[in-house]
Amino acid sequence: MRASAIAHKDFVIGQIDPRLYGSFIEHLGRAIYTGIFEPDHPTADDNGMRQDVIDLVRELDVPVVRYPGGNFVSAFYWEDSIGPVEERPTRLDLAWHSSESNKVGIHEFAEWADAAGTEMMLAVNLGSRGLDPARNFLEYVNHPGGSYWSDLRKKNGREEPWGVKMWCLGNEMDGPWQTGQKTADEYGRIAFETAKAMRAYDKSLELVVCGSSTPTMPSYPQWEATVLDHTYDVVDYISLHMYFDNPKGDTADYLAQTARLDAYICTVAGVIQFIKSKKRSKKDVYISFDEWNVWYHSREQDRKILEGNSGWPHAPALLEDIYNFEDVLQVGCILNTFIRHADVVKIGCLAQLVNVIAPIMTVEGGPAWRQTTFYPFLFASKYGRGTSLNLAMDCPGYDTDVAKNVPYLDVAAVQSEADGALTVFVVNRHQTDAIEFDLALEGFGERSVTMDKEIVGHDLRATNGPDGEPVAPVDGAGAIVAGGRLSASIAPLSYRMFRLGV
Ligand code: AHR
């Protein structure tokens, strides 16, 4: 089977915002406690943070981490998480049926973010609370001093403000599972007033308003239109969330789901344009895809805790999906989809980062290890920065219940400004056939293959674990650039990345 594509250096989709490769850490399960924070761990730093985890986060080079939730934020009292640790209250977390000790709060997380080389993206509670706690939190975090909340921050040991730019106005406010769920009009109003107040403090903030929790919500996409109608003038991004399941255990169907992701992004981009035109606005609003991942492996085992049959445990194992090789292909296709929409999707947050539906896992008192999906994310984060190119693709496809004519090859290309390299990410969805791929390179000058990596040849259910990481990249072979064309044979069910250097 054959597929061909043309890349032209001036045929551009858009500039990729590095924050497309962000992530998310919530007070949920073992993300914080025994995830990033474990004071008794042999690698713990002076703040009790696991250095082995920080090293892996640094390896992924995550530019931004959303915090502290997620569903958790919708009943969160941020004031509980500051001041002397021994005086902080333990609260019941309704979202995850757990106890929250507040031993890690904004100060501790900010120190961690600094050590991990990432920026914080903070969410305010618009579920059980509203405008006042949100503006107070902003003052606490960002004001230099001379006011009640900023002076309290100083008293609590942090002289300099953190200067957080990105703020999420609540989380998944359309969801029946959310504490303080709202209608689109109710939410639109509170989000508008909160954004107005936050902007009255600092016009340069980047504010994210909640879109639908997922495209299967009954209110989607009217929700986006109503919420943006209220808030268009005061926000910069609308958030989208999507998790991928494999309900039929059918690989062809599973890997076709990025067609739904594509439609979701296109629809919301259309809604943004509709409201922009309706308001005769010159301003742009972009998409913050601030929760995405595969999430289904752990659903059954979490049921007992989430249905409240285990009391209120502190940091129980929850959402600990163990990813397999099939998920590598899915994550590769998801990242390619984001790259192809780089003109409108500016922020992305892999949900989540540690232990909870995460690329990084930890053993309490033991090692940290890389899940299978660590690698496609690593490659995209490391080599997927620059300009996204619009490829003219010609590739055979297949039909499933999910979508028609799903191309066997999922391809994205990025031109790096930093070193001039052209990076091509390819997933072959075909289950039995290699595909002979021919990519015409126009306007790039002399090129050669400077890196060729693939993840290939594993059982679809193969996983990694603390004792070994067999599902990992290896060097690809046989790719050549000649006469201005890249030619390579892409193995069935494989993830591949080429870098074509100058
Ligand atoms: O990431 C796990 C949960 O998924 C988040 O808390 C919530 O926002 C979403 O439903």
Side-chain angles (χ1 to χ4, degrees):
M1 193 174 283
R2 299 193 164 274
S4 62
I6 303 169
H8 191 292
K9 84 164 186 10
D10 296 328
F11 202 2
V12 158
I13 294 171
Q15 193 65 27
I16 297 168
D17 189 318
R19 296 175 299 178
L20 192 59
Y21 306 114
S23 191
F24 173 36
I25 292 186
E26 178 168 4
H27 282 256
L28 191 185
R30 299 192 309 118
I32 301 283
Y33 307 105
T34 72
I36 63 169
F37 179 74
E38 192 179 330
D40 296 333
H41 193 269
T43 71
D45 65 15
D46 293 345
N47 299 317
M49 298 294 176
R50 287 182 64 146
Q51 188 61 47
D52 56 350
V53 172
I54 288 173
D55 292 344
L56 288 175
V57 174
R58 279 193 168 270
E59 190 179 332
L60 287 177
D61 193 4
V62 181
V64 56
V65 176
R66 183 167 171 255
Y67 174 85
N71 298 338
F72 171 80
V73 83
S74 291
F76 178 52
Y77 272 58
W78 68 268
E79 304 88 331
D80 291 345
S81 80
I82 58 172
V85 175
E86 55 293 350
E87 289 171 22
R88 296 183 194 169
T90 291
R91 298 278 187 196
L92 299 185
D93 165 23
L94 302 176
W96 303 108
H97 222 282
S98 307
S99 297
E100 173 53 54
S101 65
N102 284 301
K103 284 196 168 47
V104 170
I106 181 65
H107 287 255
E108 293 76 16
F109 187 74
E111 295 280 341
W112 178 86
D114 212 30
T118 192
E119 206 178 316
M120 293 189 287
M121 176 185 194
L122 295 178
V124 299
N125 173 358
L126 294 188
S128 70
R129 307 182 86 189
L131 187 158
D132 257 341
R135 75 185 178 98
N136 295 344
F137 190 27
L138 173 64
E139 183 183 315
Y140 188 88
V141 169
N142 278 5
H143 196 59
S147 70
Y148 177 79
W149 292 108
S150 58
D151 287 345
L152 185 58
R153 181 196 69 240
K154 290 180 176 206
K155 187 169 156 243
N156 288 335
R158 172 75 190 195
E159 188 58 33
E160 293 301 313
W162 289 292
V164 172
K165 282 286 166 212
M166 281 165 280
W167 293 81
C168 302
L169 303 165
N171 177 70
E172 296 188 348
M173 298 308 311
D174 60 336
W177 57 86
Q178 207 66 227
T179 309
Q181 179 196 5
K182 300 194 168 26
T183 65
D185 280 311
E186 286 167 350
Y187 172 64
R189 282 290 305 137
I190 191 176
F192 173 73
E193 291 300 338
T194 306
K196 218 173 69 183
M198 292 173 82
R199 284 214 186 285
Y201 172 69
D202 179 357
K203 285 190 184 44
S204 73
L205 296 177
E206 295 185 65
L207 301 181
V208 186
V209 73
C210 294
S212 305
S213 310
T214 171
T216 52
M217 297 302 288
S219 53
Y220 165 82
Q222 183 57 49
W223 171 279
E224 277 77 359
T226 305
V227 166
L228 280 178
D229 215 0
H230 283 286
T231 60
Y232 195 89
D233 295 337
V234 291
V235 302
D236 304 283
Y237 304 91
I238 182 157
S239 80
L240 271 60
H241 293 177
M242 188 168 178
Y243 291 100
F244 295 75
D245 190 356
N246 191 356
K248 292 199 279 173
D250 178 301
T251 303
D253 252 39
Y254 181 51
L255 297 180
Q257 286 180 29
T258 34
R260 288 187 178 149
L261 172 63
D262 198 71
Y264 186 21
I265 294 168
C266 290
T267 303
V268 176
V271 174
I272 293 170
Q273 287 309 315
F274 169 71
I275 298 295
K276 181 179 177 183
S277 303
K278 186 177 168 199
K279 292 188 175 287
R280 312 289 187 259
S281 176
K282 292 200 166 35
K283 167 180 181 286
D284 285 311
V285 166
Y286 296 98
I287 290 171
S288 169
F289 217 112
D290 46 40
E291 285 187 36
W292 68 269
N293 207 345
V294 173
W295 176 12
Y296 74 93
H297 299 282
S298 62
R299 294 246 185 215
E300 208 37 58
Q301 78 212 31
D302 288 347
R303 203 173 294 280
K304 194 167 166 223
I305 291 178
L306 297 182
E307 285 175 357
N309 297 324
S310 304
W312 297 89
H314 182 250
L318 275 176
L319 280 64
E320 298 206 4
D321 275 45
I322 302 300
Y323 293 119
N324 58 33
F325 172 54
E326 190 177 40
D327 301 324
V328 169
L329 307 175
Q330 182 72 296
V331 167
C333 291
I334 297 168
L335 287 161
N336 281 355
T337 308
F338 290 149
I339 291 170
R340 290 192 296 264
H341 286 287
D343 53 337
V344 60
V345 182
K346 293 296 177 188
I347 299 172
C349 298
L350 171 64
Q352 301 192 6
L353 189 53
V354 183
N355 284 339
V356 170
I357 40 174
I360 299 169
M361 300 296 289
T362 68
V363 177
E364 186 175 355
W369 54 278
R370 298 172 189 81
Q371 294 246 36
T372 60
T373 52
F374 184 94
Y375 295 103
F377 187 79
L378 171 74
F379 284 147
S381 172
K382 244 177 125 119
Y383 302 115
R385 301 188 189 202
T387 306
S388 169
L389 296 180
N390 196 352
L391 301 177
M393 280 292 299
D394 183 9
C395 180
Y398 65 97
D399 293 344
T400 69
D401 291 346
V402 172
K404 301 283 173 232
N405 201 22
V406 181
Y408 282 113
L409 286 192
D410 191 292
V411 187
V414 177
Q415 171 72 41
S416 156
E417 277 85 53
D419 63 3
L422 172 65
T423 304
V424 186
F425 302 96
V426 187
V427 175
N428 185 356
R429 295 181 170 102
H430 205 292
Q431 297 187 43
T432 53
D433 292 4
I435 297 183
E436 303 311 313
F437 181 48
D438 174 87
L439 175 66
L441 304 166
E442 298 188 355
F444 294 97
E446 270 309 289
R447 294 282 162 160
S448 62
V449 180
T450 48
M451 192 186 286
D452 180 356
K453 294 282 181 192
E454 63 180 340
I455 310 176
V456 65
H458 300 279
D459 186 285
L460 285 171
R461 307 285 161 242
T463 56
N464 292 343
D467 301 324
E469 298 171 4
V471 183
V474 294
D475 286 333
I480 51 161
V481 177
R485 313 183 86 84
L486 166 74
S487 314
S489 180
I490 314 292
L493 294 177
S494 67
Y495 171 92
R496 190 94 175 251
M497 186 198 71
F498 305 102
R499 296 207 87 212
L500 309 182
V502 181

